[in-house]
Amino acid sequence: MVAVAVEPRRDVANAPVILSVENLHVHFATSRGLVRAVEGVSYQVRRGEVLAVVGESGCGKSVSALAIMRLLARPAGRVAAGRVVFDGRDLLKLSDDEMRRVRGREIGMIFQEPMTSLNPVLPIGLQIMEPLRIHLGMGEEQARLRAVELLRMVGITDPERRLNQYPHHFSGGMRQRVMIAIGLACNPKLLIADEPTTALDVTIQAQILELMRDLSQRLDVALIIITHNLGVVARYADRVNVMYAARVAEQGTSDDIFLRPRHPYAMGLMRSVPRLDRPRGVRLETIEGLPPNLLDPPAGCRFAPRCQFRVDVCSSEPELLETESGHRAACHRAVEFASGALAPPALQPLAAVRAAEAQAEVAPILAVEGLKKYFPVARSTGLFARISAEVRAVNDISFAIRPGETLGLVGESGCGKTTVGRLILRLETPTAGEIRFGGKDIAGHDAQDLRAMRRRIQAIFQDPYSSLNPRMTVGQIIAEPLQVYRMVPNARAAKDRVAELLSQVGLFPYMAERYPHEMSGGQRQRVGIARALAMEPSFIVCDEPVSALDVSIQGQIINLLEDLQRRLGLTYLFIAHDLAVVRHISNRVAVMYLGRIMELADRDAIYAAPQHPYTRALLDAAPVPDPEVERARAPRALKGEIPSPLSPPSGCVFHTRCPLAGEECRREVPELREAQPGHFVSCIKV
C-alpha cells in the first residue's frame, strides 16, 4: 500500500459555469396518472467541479440526469418546463441529430450497472472505439491506439490484449473502469456518473473514485456524481444537492451539508449513517415513514409528514432560500437552525448491553472447523480440448459464534462470504470440514435431518425482491412455512400469526394482502425478516441485508435487527462489505480474502488496531461521512484486482497485493493463529 497525498480541494467557485439547470420539470404519463418526477430543480456546475446529488430512491436524482442527456423514456417521459443550458446552448431546444453530436462528445455518462450498459456480444475494444470513430472521425488504427491509451489511463493492465476480450471476462471494478474510459473517450466537458460504485467493493470503489477525481482535476472536466453513499460524497464532492420528493431540499458546499445542515431531511440522512469514527453503543437515528406518492404529493412542505420539527406554517410550500452565502435550504425553520435557536436532539444510546457481551464464556451455538468448499469447473484450452480445475471458494476456515452474538463477515466480492453462509444453511454441501450447530455436526445431515434443522437456522437474503415470490401475497409468503411445518392448527391461526409477525417487524397487519411489488424496498426487507422469524429460529444468516437500501431505510432495518436480537435472543452471522455497518451491529468480525480468514477478533480491537495488512487496507479505503475527517486522513490505496480463485497465488493468498510480502510469504501458507488474547491473524509477518 502506497500512501496517497491528500490534496486540498481546488477552489472552483470562480471557474466558468459549464452547465446551468433552470426550473426543470419532468413528468411521466402512466396508466395511474401523471407522475411529477422532477419539479422546479435548479443548479449550476462549474468546470473542474464535483457536484454530488443525494437522496432516497425515487427522489428524482437519476431522472434529472437523464433529462440533461435527453434520454428520458418516450413517449411517457417528457420535460414539461425549464432550461438546460450547456456551454451556452439550451440542450432542450436542440434537434435529435444535434443532441446526438453533443451526447458522448461533449457530455459523457457512466451508468449504474456496467454489465447491463456494455454490449455482451461485442469486444470491449469495439465499444470504446465506437464513439471515437463516430464523433472524432478517427480511423480504425488511430481509434485503437486511443482505446489502448484510455484503458491504460483508467488503470487496466495489458490493454492491447484486453481490447479483444468481452465484458464477461472482466471483474465488476474493471467493467466500471471500461465505462469510465468510454465516458472520457472524446474528452467531454461534463461527465455524469449515476451510482458509479454501488456494486463495487470498498477497495475498488476507492480506486474508481480516486481515478475520477484525478481525471476531473487534470482534464478540467465537470463531474456530477449521483449516489446514496454519503462517505463518498464527503471525500470527493465540492458541492452537494440534497433532493427529496422531486425537489431540491438543500444546496451547499460539502462542509455546509455535512457540518451545518439546515433542512431536517439532510440532518436525518447524516444521523442515520453508521460511521467508523463514531463511538459504539449509539443507536442510529432513522427517518420514519416513506416519501410521498408523486402521483398525488401533499400540499406544502413534502417532508412535513415525516418531520419532527413541523409547525403550522409547514402546510405552505417553502422556498429554497439562502441561509448563509451559497447555502440554501427549502425549510420554513432553516433560519432557526442557522441561528442555533433550533437543533436536533442528541443521539440516543442503545437500550441494553448485548447478551453476547455479557456472557463471553457461554458455549458456542455454531462452530465451524476446517470448512472447505471446492467447485469443479472445466476450462477450454482450444476448440475441443478441456482441462478440469476447481474454484476453492472456501478453503479451510474455522470460527465459532456464541448465543446472542453477531459475527460480522467482511471482504471483497468473490472472497467466499456468501458461500460460507450457504454452507451453514446447507444450501451447499461442504467438500470437507465440520459445521457443528447445537453440538451436532450438520455438515453430513440427510434431507430428513435438515428439515428439522431448518426450523432453527434461517436466512435474510440480499435482494428482498428476488427472494419473495411475486405471485404470492405477503400473507401467503409468511404463512407458507408455518403451514408446511404445521406450526399452526388452521388457516385462522396462520392469519393471526402473520399479523403478529408483521407487527413485530414494524409493518401493518393489513399489508398481508399486498404483493411484493406493491411495497417499498425497506418494506420488502422487513417481510423477508418476518418470514425468517416465522420459524422461531435461534440463528439467522444475514447476507448483505441492507446493501440495496437507501441510507434512511438501512438505518431502520439495522435498528430492527438489533431490537429483535435483544428481545428474542437471536444469533446472527452478518455478511456485508460495508465496514461501518458491520462495526455498528457486530460483536466480533472475521475478515475473508480469497477463501481464507485473514483476521478474526473483537469488533473494537479489529477496528482500533488491525493486525493484517488486508484489514488495514479495507479500513483505509472506507470513507467517513465527514469532510473534515476525510481531509485529515491519509488514505492508502490497495492496488490490483483480487486474483482468480481458479489460480490463486501460492503461499499467502494476499502476498501479490501486500506491501510487506517477502519471499517466505510466497512459499508458506500462514495459519490463523492467536497473536493476542482473542485476536487471531493469518500473517507470517505478525
Side-chain angles (χ1 to χ4, degrees):
M1 288 168 288
V2 179
V4 177
V6 181
E7 299 179 6
R9 290 197 177 104
R10 293 181 304 161
D11 183 11
V12 294
N14 297 319
V17 173
I18 189 67
L19 177 74
S20 179
V21 178
E22 303 170 8
N23 195 32
L24 183 66
H25 292 252
V26 179
H27 295 169
F28 286 89
T30 71
S31 59
R32 296 187 178 184
L34 191 68
V35 175
R36 295 171 173 83
V38 176
E39 284 201 81
V41 169
S42 300
Y43 60 86
Q44 293 181 335
V45 187
R46 299 178 180 275
R47 286 186 180 276
E49 183 177 41
V50 179
L51 172 74
V53 184
V54 302
E56 290 169 296
S57 295
C59 69
K61 306 186 301 293
S62 295
V63 170
S64 60
L66 292 172
I68 293 170
M69 296 292 289
R70 295 267 300 271
L71 290 175
L72 293 172
R74 293 188 289 185
R78 65 184 181 90
V79 177
R83 301 174 71 216
V84 178
V85 180
F86 172 74
D87 206 17
R89 293 164 292 174
D90 187 349
L91 299 181
L92 303 181
K93 293 182 178 179
L94 299 182
S95 66
D96 288 346
D97 286 341
E98 289 172 326
M99 189 62 205
R100 272 192 291 270
R101 286 193 287 272
V102 172
R103 194 187 299 125
R105 173 66 183 91
E106 299 181 65
I107 305 178
M109 187 159 185
I110 302 167
F111 295 95
Q112 182 169 355
E113 177 45 65
M115 195 58 189
T116 58
S117 303
L118 295 170
N119 192 322
V121 300
L122 294 179
I124 289 296
L126 189 61
Q127 298 185 59
I128 299 175
M129 291 160 61
E130 184 181 32
L132 297 170
R133 303 192 68 176
I134 291 174
H135 293 296
L136 303 183
M138 289 185 179
E140 183 172 352
E141 185 58 31
Q142 187 182 8
R144 188 175 184 84
L145 291 173
R146 172 63 174 159
V148 168
E149 179 188 359
L150 286 164
L151 287 181
R152 190 171 287 118
M153 181 189 297
V154 297
I156 292 181
T157 58
D158 196 8
E160 292 84 357
R161 182 176 61 86
R162 294 288 193 178
L163 287 180
N164 298 318
Q165 293 184 333
Y166 291 82
H168 69 273
H169 292 132
F170 288 67
S171 69
M174 292 174 70
R175 285 195 293 265
Q176 196 64 282
R177 289 168 186 257
V178 170
M179 289 297 300
I180 295 174
I182 294 173
L184 293 169
C186 298
N187 293 324
K189 300 173 183 176
L190 171 67
L191 187 62
I192 301 174
D194 187 2
E195 298 281 10
T197 60
T198 297
L200 303 182
D201 298 306
V202 64
T203 53
I204 305 300
Q205 169 186 280
Q207 292 178 30
I208 294 293
L209 290 167
E210 286 291 341
L211 168 68
M212 291 173 63
R213 180 171 66 174
D214 175 65
L215 293 174
S216 171
Q217 294 181 349
R218 190 151 43 86
L219 304 178
D220 208 26
V221 176
L223 180 61
I224 299 176
I225 297 180
I226 299 168
T227 184
H228 64 255
N229 188 325
L230 297 181
V232 166
V233 176
R235 180 175 287 185
Y236 297 103
D238 298 301
R239 294 185 59 78
V240 183
N241 284 350
V242 181
M243 291 191 67
Y244 182 78
R247 294 175 174 168
V248 174
E250 190 165 357
Q251 289 177 331
T253 65
S254 184
D255 283 9
D256 287 338
I257 302 301
F258 282 90
L259 308 179
R260 299 177 292 275
R262 304 307 185 207
H263 195 287
Y265 177 61
M267 295 176 193
L269 287 181
M270 303 305 154
R271 292 160 66 90
S272 61
V273 184
R275 290 175 51 158
L276 291 173
D277 63 332
R278 181 175 286 167
R280 271 283 308 147
V282 175
R283 183 176 176 82
L284 293 178
E285 181 174 306
T286 60
I287 307 173
E288 298 302 323
L290 295 171
N293 184 350
L294 296 181
L295 282 167
D296 185 26
C301 175
R302 294 185 175 179
F303 186 64
R306 304 172 70 186
C307 182
Q308 60 181 314
F309 302 104
R310 63 180 177 272
V311 290
D312 291 342
V313 72
C314 297
S315 59
S316 62
E317 183 178 331
E319 295 182 23
L320 190 65
L321 298 177
E322 192 168 64
T323 58
E324 295 102 347
S325 178
H327 189 177
R328 299 176 178 83
C331 177
H332 291 293
R333 311 195 73 180
V335 174
E336 294 177 76
F337 287 120
S339 66
L342 194 62
L347 291 170
Q348 297 298 310
L350 291 175
V353 177
R354 298 182 179 221
E357 292 175 351
Q359 45 180 321
E361 301 305 320
V362 175
I365 188 174
L366 179 83
V368 171
E369 291 288 341
L371 188 62
K372 298 180 181 181
K373 179 59 182 177
Y374 299 165
F375 293 97
V377 296
R379 290 193 292 176
S380 175
T381 58
L383 186 59
F384 299 107
R386 288 180 175 271
I387 60 172
S388 60
E390 59 185 9
V391 173
R392 300 189 175 191
V394 176
N395 195 6
D396 194 18
I397 69 169
S398 302
F399 61 84
I401 309 178
R402 296 184 292 270
E405 182 184 33
T406 298
L407 176 69
L409 192 58
V410 301
E412 293 171 292
S413 295
C415 71
K417 305 188 301 294
T418 295
T419 303
V420 170
R422 291 178 64 83
L423 288 168
I424 292 171
L425 293 165
R426 280 303 315 275
L427 299 176
E428 300 283 356
T429 302
T431 302
E434 294 184 354
I435 304 172
R436 304 191 69 82
F437 180 74
K440 296 180 180 179
D441 185 7
I442 64 174
H445 271 13
D446 58 21
Q448 187 62 35
D449 292 332
L450 287 176
R451 180 182 172 87
M453 179 273 293
R454 294 198 195 285
R455 280 197 57 179
R456 301 181 61 196
I457 302 180
Q458 284 290 299
I460 301 169
F461 295 100
Q462 179 173 1
D463 184 353
Y465 195 66
S466 64
S467 60
L468 301 176
N469 192 326
R471 295 180 177 86
M472 296 172 67
T473 66
V474 165
Q476 291 169 333
I477 289 170
I478 299 174
E480 182 182 38
L482 298 173
Q483 294 163 337
V484 168
Y485 281 83
R486 298 179 182 176
M487 298 176 67
V488 289
N490 51 48
R492 179 64 193 176
K495 185 176 181 180
D496 291 343
R497 178 60 174 150
V498 167
E500 179 186 349
L501 287 164
L502 288 174
S503 299
Q504 200 168 41
V505 297
L507 296 175
F508 295 107
Y510 67 78
M511 291 181 173
E513 304 302 318
R514 294 185 180 179
Y515 288 87
H517 72 271
E518 297 176 305
M519 309 185 81
S520 69
Q523 289 174 329
R524 285 195 291 264
Q525 195 62 285
R526 288 171 185 262
V527 171
I529 295 172
R531 181 184 166 96
L533 293 176
M535 303 297 290
E536 300 176 1
S538 53
F539 186 88
I540 298 179
V541 176
C542 305
D543 188 4
E544 298 276 11
V546 297
S547 65
L549 303 178
D550 292 314
V551 168
S552 54
I553 307 301
Q554 172 183 279
Q556 294 177 17
I557 298 299
I558 291 171
N559 284 347
L560 172 63
L561 289 172
E562 290 182 319
D563 292 342
L564 291 171
Q565 184 176 47
R566 284 192 294 273
R567 195 161 67 242
L568 304 177
L570 297 171
T571 305
Y572 296 142
L573 174 65
F574 194 91
I575 301 168
H577 65 256
D578 189 321
L579 298 172
V581 169
V582 169
R583 177 180 183 269
H584 180 86
I585 200 170
S586 301
N587 303 101
R588 291 185 302 133
V589 178
V591 181
M592 283 192 70
Y593 183 81
L594 214 59
R596 294 182 178 272
I597 291 180
M598 299 287 103
E599 192 165 359
L600 172 62
D602 176 78
R603 168 204 63 229
D604 294 331
I606 212 166
Y607 280 85
Q611 301 296 305
H612 198 283
Y614 179 59
T615 308
R616 291 197 291 270
L618 289 179
L619 292 171
D620 283 339
V624 174
D626 187 317
E628 288 186 339
V629 172
E630 282 300 319
R631 283 195 289 269
R633 294 177 76 192
R636 297 175 182 269
L638 179 61
K639 302 297 183 182
E641 299 278 339
I642 189 169
S644 169
L646 269 173
S647 54
S650 59
C652 174
V653 290
F654 185 62
H655 83 258
T656 57
R657 303 171 74 189
C658 181
L660 305 179
E663 188 58 37
E664 67 277 20
C665 301
R666 297 172 175 84
R667 294 192 310 266
E668 302 175 32
V669 178
E671 295 182 0
L672 188 68
R673 57 188 179 85
E674 195 168 25
Q676 297 172 6
H679 197 144
F680 298 85
V681 186
S682 175
C683 181
I684 295 171
K685 297 288 188 178
V686 175

